Amino acid sequence: MANNLPTIPAFEPGTNPLESWRHWKEDFEDYLEALRYSEAPEKTKSAPFRHLCGEELKIQLRAFDLKLNDGCGGVTLQQVLQEFDKYFLDYQNEIFASFKFLEIKQEQGEKFTDYYSRLRNAVVECNYGESQDRMLRDKIIQGLLDKALQERLIRETSKKAKTLQEVVSECKTAENSKVQASVMNEKLSVNALKNFRNYRNQSKNKK
């Protein structure tokens, strides 16, 4: 079964090693789940990690000098992952993460849900704590392409504060309404053109 499954690329630290590690770890755990390794012995589970992680993680893994787990006769996969979690925390840079988060704006043609997902992923590294929802709410409004919606939300929130979910819901509704209006206008235009052609043909036939 393993031969029929695509592999995952080796770990690449990039400009944000902590974020890269978290994403790679998620991909690796999904890969193990797809291979049904969850019930396998610890030695068996750690073998794919060493095979897939890449040279950089292999070198660091040797440097950890992890103690053997007596219960399984070797170093467990959980030990390895936890050690790398602690190792990459040293790369956490809240200022840089906040800079990247605050730079995000909705791109031309980008759906609101995609824009919101990018913000949700980026805000995790900022460690805003209890202020996270407020920062997300404010950033959503600040980066909107729809300036009419942006102005309305600013005006309304100045009178009564809105929650993150209220702002998200209004943005989704506004985008959906635009799509529906566009479809309706397109159908009206097509019908108007058909009616005009029918009228013109009837006029020709009368003549």
Side-chain angles (χ1 to χ4, degrees):
M1 184 176 67
N3 292 332
N4 297 327
L5 287 172
T7 187
I8 61 173
F11 172 77
E12 291 288 344
T15 57
N16 189 339
L18 175 60
E19 183 180 21
S20 299
W21 162 249
R22 285 176 176 168
H23 290 167
W24 190 89
K25 179 184 169 185
E26 287 177 5
D27 290 342
F28 174 71
E29 289 175 334
D30 289 342
Y31 185 77
L32 284 190
E33 191 64 32
L35 290 175
R36 299 179 181 176
Y37 269 110
S38 55
E39 302 301 323
E42 285 296 328
K43 280 187 176 181
T44 305
K45 285 193 283 189
S46 58
F49 179 89
R50 294 192 301 272
H51 177 68
L52 295 169
C53 69
E55 198 58 34
E56 185 167 341
L57 292 190
K58 281 183 184 178
I59 294 171
Q60 187 55 47
L61 180 58
R62 296 187 195 105
F64 286 152
D65 191 25
L66 294 172
K67 294 181 180 179
L68 299 181
N69 188 305
D70 295 334
C72 67
V75 174
T76 67
L77 176 62
Q78 186 179 17
Q79 280 179 280
V80 172
L81 297 181
Q82 287 177 347
E83 199 67 24
F84 274 111
D85 285 342
K86 291 186 287 184
Y87 171 75
F88 281 107
L89 274 177
D90 292 337
Y91 286 93
Q92 192 167 30
N93 189 328
E94 294 176 359
I95 295 176
F96 182 63
S98 294
F99 172 78
K100 285 177 45 179
F101 171 72
L102 296 172
E103 285 286 295
I104 294 175
K105 291 183 183 295
Q106 188 177 16
E107 297 174 357
Q108 197 69 40
E110 183 181 29
K111 291 182 179 179
F112 173 77
T113 50
D114 295 333
Y115 167 57
Y116 181 46
S117 294
R118 287 200 294 129
L119 288 174
R120 292 285 302 183
N121 290 332
V123 79
V124 173
E125 307 296 331
C126 300
N127 286 333
Y128 288 138
E130 294 180 359
S131 302
Q132 179 171 298
D133 280 4
R134 180 185 170 186
M135 292 297 293
L136 268 173
R137 180 200 65 184
D138 295 351
K139 183 58 198 172
I140 285 171
I141 297 173
Q142 187 269 334
L144 283 173
L145 269 176
D146 188 336
K147 297 307 173 187
L149 174 61
Q150 183 186 65
E151 291 173 8
R152 179 171 67 79
L153 288 171
I154 292 173
R155 184 173 62 252
E156 290 177 356
T157 49
S158 67
K159 297 176 182 178
K160 182 183 177 182
K162 291 179 180 288
T163 66
L164 169 64
Q165 291 309 315
E166 286 173 336
V167 169
V168 169
S169 178
E170 289 194 35
C171 289
K172 287 180 178 177
T173 300
E175 183 177 72
N176 193 43
S177 297
K178 275 193 168 185
V179 172
Q180 291 173 345
S182 177
V183 172
M184 289 173 62
N185 288 333
E186 186 177 344
K187 288 184 178 179
L188 288 172
S189 298
V190 170
N191 290 334
L193 182 60
K194 284 182 179 178
N195 292 335
F196 172 73
R197 285 175 177 171
N198 290 335
Y199 171 77
R200 185 178 61 183
N201 291 334
Q202 289 172 3
S203 298
K204 286 181 179 179
N205 291 334
K206 285 180 182 179
K207 288 180 180 178

